[in-house]
Amino acid sequence: MPDAAPPPDPARCPLCGQSNQCAIEAGQPAAGCWCMGTALDPAALAAVPDAARGLACLCPRCAAGERAAPPDSASAMPPI
């Protein structure tokens, strides 16, 4: 049986891997989180992998529908 994937990092966006800037994860009240006053893009919410639902928040950029490239992707490298 293959090893199960590790659980998502609750401090990282499950779409791009960047910090999600979650107030709850930082030990602050939920009411002070950036997401409480932001409209979330429905397509971004739908793109969250099932394994991360309810476990890791989106970052502000992905939540707005401006999905960032993962930090280790080829698109993060400048052209030669």
Side-chain angles (χ1 to χ4, degrees), residues 3-76:
D3 291 335
D9 182 345
R12 301 255 167 224
C13 175
L15 298 183
C16 72
Q18 299 296 316
S19 170
N20 57 23
Q21 303 171 31
C22 178
I24 296 170
E25 188 60 30
Q28 300 171 359
C33 194
W34 65 266
C35 70
M36 293 298 173
T38 302
L40 303 178
D41 179 36
L45 290 174
V48 174
D50 287 341
R53 290 186 187 274
L55 299 175
C57 298
L58 297 174
C59 70
R61 190 170 177 177
C62 288
E66 302 168 11
R67 192 164 166 190
D72 62 342
S73 76
S75 64

